[in-house]
Amino acid sequence: MPHVLVAGRIHEAGIDLLKSAQGVSFELVNEISVESYAGLMGGADAVVIRTQPLTESIVASAPRLKIVSRHGVGYDAVDVEALNRRGIALAIVGDVNSGAVAEHALMLMLAASRRVIFHDDATRHGNWKLRNDFDSSELDGKTLLVVGFGRIGRKVAKLAQAFGMRVMAHDPFLSVDALRGSAVIPARDLNEALSEADIVTLHIPLAPKGPLIGAGEIERMKPSAILVNTARGGLIDETALDVALREGRLAGAALDVFGDEPPAPRHPLLSNDRVTLTPHTASLTRECARRMAVSSVQNVLDFFDGKLDPALVVNRDHAKGLT
């Protein structure tokens, strides 16, 4: 009987699916940390994992492990090479969260542009005169640069166009012709596009070479520009971002992700009123949490039934047990 370890709290619909499955046992760890699940890997044939790191040493401690199913689409925290050496499949959910993340990105654009958090605080503390500062701006007519034009990036572009924005797109993995066919303006050169954009939103994986947006890239952006990130925290040099915001070289930022999560209590961005922050919740709506839980659990059940969709397996060329 395969034993499934669920590492991190997931929507009850996913647990109900495991309960109703025949010939499968499972164990649920609600806490989202390495320490909470690592010691239980020895008995796991499968693991459904949230955002915690899955390291080479943890993989080595799981002799029975055959499949890892990510509760999402990103897998930066997973040592894929360690899985490959053992032939362990790494599955991700399908297109179940792109709409939720795209909505969140637009919400952050609006919140940063209209200074919603700052104005909310001022109102609660009796600073009604703040309304006369005229320090918020509109999306209509502004130029948006979408960096990364996958499922989420494309949905963000459509939502932004509905707000009257002019949309540019840059994606190092797509040709200019592919971008041009999506009713956006292709941006061949990232640096040139950064200097033209009023808002930049990131929807691209991490690269080994380090942050995509560092001090040099921020310097190329307009002082009136806003930077939004709902992808991965490591894409931005957070220190450079904080300094630029405090020095007025960038108007605002909105982040759903950090390089280290949760951020340290003394992280400078936490005290910076030019940035709007959310705790990596872009995809964690009630509806999307349900979809991700069901999909990530179903991937495990399908694997043991011999019917897992190979398109959902990141390392299908190395994974054993696929049909």
Side-chain angles (χ1 to χ4, degrees):
M1 176 182 291
H3 182 67
V4 182
L5 175 62
V6 181
R9 181 170 177 259
I10 65 173
H11 192 282
E12 194 63 31
I15 302 302
D16 289 342
L17 186 57
L18 281 169
K19 289 178 179 177
S20 65
Q22 299 296 315
V24 174
S25 63
F26 72 93
E27 187 171 10
L28 172 62
V29 179
N30 278 316
E31 184 181 337
I32 302 175
S33 70
V34 171
E35 295 76 17
S36 65
Y37 86 91
L40 303 172
M41 289 290 289
D45 298 284
V47 59
V48 175
I49 192 164
R50 291 281 302 275
T51 55
Q52 314 93 306
L54 180 62
T55 64
E56 181 179 14
S57 61
I58 295 175
V59 173
S61 72
R64 293 167 44 179
L65 189 62
K66 301 174 181 65
I67 179 172
V68 174
S69 182
R70 266 285 293 119
H71 182 269
V73 296
Y75 48 92
D76 302 310
V78 176
D79 190 327
V80 181
E81 289 302 317
L83 299 182
N84 290 345
R85 287 191 289 271
R86 293 261 307 276
I88 300 168
L90 172 59
I92 59 176
V93 300
D95 187 16
V96 300
N97 68 354
S98 59
V101 177
E103 280 189 11
H104 198 87
L106 258 292
M107 181 273 293
L108 289 178
M109 289 181 210
L110 285 164
S113 297
R114 302 306 292 263
R115 300 275 280 147
V116 170
I117 304 301
F118 186 66
H119 289 173
D120 175 271
D121 182 73
T123 304
R124 293 176 189 275
H125 290 88
N127 186 8
W128 192 257
K129 292 182 179 180
L130 182 73
R131 65 190 295 270
N132 296 318
D133 288 352
F134 308 119
D135 66 341
S136 65
S137 60
E138 303 171 8
L139 298 188
D140 187 28
K142 299 298 191 303
T143 295
L144 172 68
L145 171 60
V146 180
V147 182
F149 209 62
R151 290 169 174 169
I152 296 172
R154 290 193 294 269
K155 290 189 176 183
V156 168
K158 288 183 179 179
L159 292 174
Q161 287 165 340
F163 275 83
M165 302 189 79
R166 171 180 176 262
V167 181
M168 301 188 298
H170 172 82
D171 193 314
F173 306 107
L174 294 177
S175 68
V176 170
D177 288 340
L179 293 173
R180 188 176 290 114
S182 302
V184 297
I185 302 167
R188 293 175 181 269
D189 185 86
L190 177 60
N191 289 330
E192 290 182 6
L194 286 171
S195 66
E196 189 176 347
D198 297 298
I199 299 178
V200 178
T201 181
L202 306 181
H203 304 284
I204 197 166
L206 285 173
K209 63 181 181 180
L212 178 72
I213 306 296
E217 286 74 24
I218 292 173
E219 194 65 31
R220 294 183 178 94
M221 296 173 66
K222 299 176 181 179
S224 59
I226 291 170
L227 179 60
V228 177
N229 187 11
T230 56
R232 293 291 179 267
L235 288 169
I236 298 174
D237 182 329
E238 294 169 358
T239 300
L241 174 61
D242 180 68
V243 171
L245 290 169
R246 293 182 189 274
E247 293 180 352
R249 293 184 286 109
L250 199 65
L255 309 177
D256 185 52
V257 288
F258 287 83
D260 292 317
E261 295 183 351
R266 294 183 179 275
H267 194 299
L269 285 173
L270 298 182
S271 62
N272 192 324
D273 67 10
R274 303 302 304 189
V275 60
T276 301
L277 305 172
T278 54
H280 204 154
T281 54
S283 64
L284 298 182
T285 61
R286 287 187 293 270
E287 298 87 350
C288 189
R290 179 186 182 91
R291 293 191 298 267
M292 287 194 295
V294 170
S295 182
S296 56
V297 168
Q298 191 64 57
N299 282 345
V300 169
L301 300 179
D302 286 348
F303 175 85
F304 289 117
D305 285 342
K307 56 183 183 181
L308 176 61
D309 183 355
L312 298 177
V313 180
V314 171
N315 59 344
R316 51 187 172 272
D317 292 337
H318 297 86
K320 301 175 183 176
L322 300 180
T323 57

